[in-house]
Amino acid sequence: MCSAPHGSAAVSDAPPGACLVTGATGFIGSALVRRLRSEGATVRGLARTRRESAPPDFAFLDLATTPVPPAVLQGIQTVYHLAAKTHDLAETEEADAEYWRINLEGTQRLIDAARRHGVQRFVFVSSVKATGEDTTGIVDETRAPQPTTAYGRSKLATERFVLGEAGRYGFTAVCLRFPLVYGPGQRGNLSRMIAAIDRGSFPPPPANQNRRSMLHVENAVDALIVAARHPEAAGQVYFVTDAAPYSTRELYEWIREALGKRPIGWAVPEMVFRGLAAAGDLARRSIGRRIGFDSDAFQKLLGSAAYAPGKIVRELGYAPGRDLRSAMPELVADYRTDRSRKST
């Protein structure tokens, strides 16, 4: 059976059955598969790209174009749907179309197959971008969604489709809105920031009191499992984050500390970053594509995007046990291992 996460509040006993994880070879999906199997769950995986190291009970297909084979869902009682096209900074028309094809149409195919095979619970991984990323203060689920990107709009439309189909056909569903997820093995913006600070090419940012929510991968796995098991999760949408948001200056200082570098007491003024962003915006309008630093990059670096996990804590007993500062030495060690491997 799909078991409960470590340290979470008591949940209902799930009936015997198997779990399907889509996006099972990805960063979060592989962590979820490892946890479920370590706790004795029967797990099948579904992914788009075949990997030689994948288990034999993984299936590989494009959900947006290929019907799900009956064997994949036979006996499955819980689906964790993580497969998606994530946010693409290129922001092209082709990328916009891919969001709808993969995120919405792929989910439509999966839901259709899942309900025909008697799946009982469907856990959908959405994004904070379904609400809108720029925030004043800390946003909770009572805020009306105002997605500002094609990616965010595709995620919001998929949330509504999943919950609507659950109500129509009698299975239960829950949507989890994740921010940036970090952890060893993730090669994203945080790992690039670590590398840039290590090289000395990342200027010290100002302490402008911005707040950005993030999510440790093990906290993400905890939330996924408790959402799959808890009866109160049915029909709900939850923000899932670490216990508190972080500032960019905090990240910068914690990375330097983990790298063994001395603290820096000065900072590049925010107006300098704003000037660079304005120049990048002008270049973008001139040539029709992004180059270098612009307003979008400024927002990601020094803007706020903070969300409250209070609802999932109160209703499901989610207890985020990991945080970025305590995880930073592990992230830096992972960065150094990856750098050493690439240099050999």
Side-chain angles (χ1 to χ4, degrees):
M1 76 173 53
C2 295
S3 49
H6 302 295
S8 295
V11 298
S12 66
D13 290 333
C19 309
L20 174 68
V21 177
T22 74
T25 59
F27 175 58
I28 306 172
S30 58
L32 176 60
V33 170
R34 285 194 300 270
R35 174 79 72 80
L36 289 169
R37 286 185 166 167
S38 74
E39 296 177 351
T42 299
V43 185
R44 293 186 199 135
L46 184 64
R48 186 178 182 186
T49 304
R50 182 176 296 276
R51 295 188 181 181
E52 293 183 1
S53 59
D57 52 358
F58 277 25
F60 297 90
L61 58 91
D62 183 347
L63 282 171
T65 60
T66 308
V68 180
V72 172
L73 285 162
Q74 189 67 42
I76 295 293
Q77 293 190 338
T78 300
V79 171
Y80 297 93
H81 184 34
L82 284 67
K85 177 176 174 58
T86 56
H87 191 227
D88 187 342
L89 293 179
E91 296 180 352
T92 63
E93 290 184 5
E94 292 80 6
D96 288 357
E98 285 286 279
Y99 294 136
W100 294 96
R101 188 183 72 83
I102 296 172
N103 295 345
L104 180 57
E105 295 175 19
T107 303
Q108 289 171 338
R109 282 181 177 269
L110 181 62
I111 287 279
D112 183 60
R115 65 178 181 80
R116 286 187 282 107
H117 285 83
V119 167
Q120 296 181 8
R121 177 152 294 195
F122 193 96
V123 182
F124 172 59
V125 173
S126 184
S127 167
V128 296
K129 291 181 183 291
T131 299
E133 192 176 14
D134 302 346
T135 69
T136 300
I138 300 181
V139 169
D140 64 17
E141 293 83 356
T142 62
R143 170 172 160 171
Q146 297 177 318
T148 58
T149 63
Y151 170 69
R153 289 188 288 273
S154 75
K155 281 293 194 179
L156 180 60
T158 306
E159 285 182 8
R160 290 171 172 170
F161 171 78
V162 167
L163 296 176
E165 292 295 281
R168 185 174 295 112
Y169 291 106
F171 62 93
T172 61
V174 56
C175 301
L176 304 181
R177 291 174 177 165
F178 285 1
L180 183 150
V181 179
Y182 66 91
Q186 173 66 307
R187 304 291 175 243
N189 289 338
L190 184 57
S191 63
R192 286 189 285 270
M193 184 176 178
I194 292 171
I197 292 173
D198 190 32
R199 293 192 305 266
S201 59
F202 195 104
N208 69 344
Q209 309 305 314
N210 73 317
R211 309 302 290 169
R212 298 194 70 86
S213 290
M214 298 172 65
L215 179 63
H216 192 285
V217 64
E218 294 301 329
N219 290 341
V221 169
D222 283 344
L224 283 160
I225 297 176
V226 77
R229 296 287 313 283
H230 203 298
E232 296 301 317
Q236 298 299 314
V237 177
Y238 297 103
F239 286 120
V240 184
T241 71
D242 287 353
Y246 310 104
S247 74
T248 303
R249 183 68 190 197
E250 286 174 332
L251 265 65
Y252 180 84
E253 292 173 350
W254 296 340
I255 291 170
R256 288 190 63 88
E257 180 183 48
L259 286 167
K261 295 179 179 289
R262 290 182 298 178
I264 288 182
W266 59 278
V268 175
E270 184 174 323
M271 68 178 66
V272 173
F273 288 97
R274 289 190 180 277
L276 291 171
D281 291 344
L282 179 61
R284 181 177 181 177
R285 289 192 296 270
S286 299
I287 66 175
R289 62 183 177 86
R290 296 184 68 179
I291 59 169
F293 194 80
D294 60 11
S295 290
D296 289 343
F298 176 89
Q299 169 59 29
K300 286 181 172 54
L301 180 66
L302 293 174
S304 289
Y307 308 88
K311 180 181 175 183
I312 191 171
V313 170
R314 292 189 306 271
E315 295 183 0
L316 308 189
Y318 164 69
R322 301 295 302 273
D323 65 84
L324 185 54
R325 184 170 194 179
S326 63
M328 193 60 73
E330 186 180 24
L331 299 179
V332 166
D334 178 64
Y335 149 72
R336 285 173 167 157
T337 298
D338 183 60
R339 183 187 60 180
S340 177
R341 182 169 56 248
K342 289 177 178 177
S343 66
T344 58

